[in-house]
Amino acid sequence: MFSSRRLYGIMALITIIYLIYVTYMNFIYDPQAADFLQHKAGLKKQVQLPIWLNIMYVHVGFACLAMISGALNFSQRLLTQYRRFHRINGYVYLAAIMLVDITSGYMAPYATGGKINSIAFNFLNLIWLVFTIAAIVQIKKKRVIKHRKWMIRSYAFCFTNLFIHLITTTMHRWIGLVYETSYTLGVYGSILSLLVIAEIIIRKQRLNK
């Protein structure tokens, strides 16, 4: 069985590193998202740049908030000593996800790769929210283990963008597939991978009740 403390430490480290990377890439290195937008030139639905960028900034900001609040709520120390904070922070996490979903809903029709990826993002938005609400429903019923299982499934999707970039980069730069194909594999591959990883963590933590 994984040590909960070790698993939390790894997760927190990955979260911190990725948040620094996202902040740098989106707000310092390429605030106009020029590198990313160049792959959308062939879309039937053209990006309205000022609106899209503002929505993207909100999307990234609340995605980062979801990662932070979710990570904090996996802390056993905070749960034990600050239960009220844990509960309030859980609703902050829910609100952040809802705003990520709303902004993603706007951006989905402009997804690189076209409609096939728009469908995937809309599906992701739905199941991420469902998983999170399921976690809240379970804790309301005092089912702590089931609550934790659903939170693991929900929090896994905070790393969707990371996995998309990892898979896309692997397929495009290392294997040589065209970017749009690589990105589509990244989108679908990240959803599947994160679902599997969440279940592996649940099993390794022996949350089987």
Side-chain angles (χ1 to χ4, degrees):
M1 183 175 71
F2 286 149
S3 164
S4 295
R5 182 174 295 181
R6 175 181 293 182
L7 183 62
Y8 181 74
I10 293 172
M11 180 192 72
L13 179 61
I14 293 173
T15 298
I16 292 169
I17 292 173
Y18 188 62
L19 285 172
I20 293 171
Y21 169 79
V22 167
T23 301
Y24 173 73
M25 291 300 295
N26 287 280
F27 299 104
I28 300 174
Y29 175 76
D30 189 14
Q32 298 299 309
D35 288 345
F36 187 61
L37 286 171
Q38 68 178 325
H39 300 291
K40 299 183 183 292
L43 293 178
K44 293 181 180 179
K45 189 176 180 66
Q46 294 301 307
V47 173
Q48 304 298 314
L49 188 57
I51 298 174
W52 187 91
L53 280 174
N54 287 329
I55 296 294
M56 187 270 290
Y57 293 146
V58 174
H59 178 80
V60 171
F62 280 103
C64 291
L65 178 59
M67 290 190 79
I68 294 169
S69 61
L72 288 173
N73 264 15
F74 277 105
S75 169
Q76 192 63 37
R77 181 178 180 181
L78 285 176
L79 174 60
T80 303
Q81 298 182 10
Y82 305 98
R83 288 186 175 274
R84 180 177 174 80
F85 171 82
H86 179 90
R87 183 169 62 254
I88 293 172
N89 190 48
Y91 286 109
V92 171
Y93 176 76
L94 173 62
I97 287 175
M98 291 176 69
L99 286 163
V100 170
D101 278 2
I102 290 170
T103 51
S104 179
Y106 169 82
M107 294 190 296
Y110 303 100
T112 302
K115 189 174 182 179
I116 188 171
N117 289 337
S118 298
I119 293 171
F121 281 121
N122 286 326
F123 172 72
L124 171 62
N125 293 339
L126 176 63
I127 60 174
W128 193 11
L129 185 59
V130 168
F131 286 0
T132 308
I133 292 174
I136 293 174
V137 169
Q138 293 303 324
I139 200 60
K140 291 290 186 181
K141 295 180 178 180
K142 309 299 183 182
R143 298 170 181 170
V144 176
I145 293 179
K146 289 185 177 180
H147 166 71
R148 189 171 180 84
K149 288 168 67 174
W150 283 111
M151 277 305 303
I152 290 172
R153 294 180 181 121
S154 171
Y155 190 68
F157 285 118
C158 287
F159 298 90
T160 301
N161 195 49
L162 170 61
F163 272 67
I164 289 175
H165 283 299
L166 288 175
I167 296 172
T168 301
T169 299
T170 300
M171 295 298 173
H172 179 57
R173 296 187 179 179
W174 296 359
I175 297 179
L177 297 179
V178 297
Y179 186 87
E180 288 74 12
T181 302
S182 301
Y183 190 79
T184 299
L185 292 173
V187 171
Y188 283 88
S190 67
I191 295 173
L192 179 60
S193 298
L194 291 169
L195 286 170
V196 171
I197 290 171
E199 295 306 317
I200 290 173
I201 292 173
I202 288 170
R203 288 180 178 274
K204 292 295 184 179
Q205 289 287 295
R206 297 180 183 174
L207 302 176
N208 52 9
K209 294 183 181 181

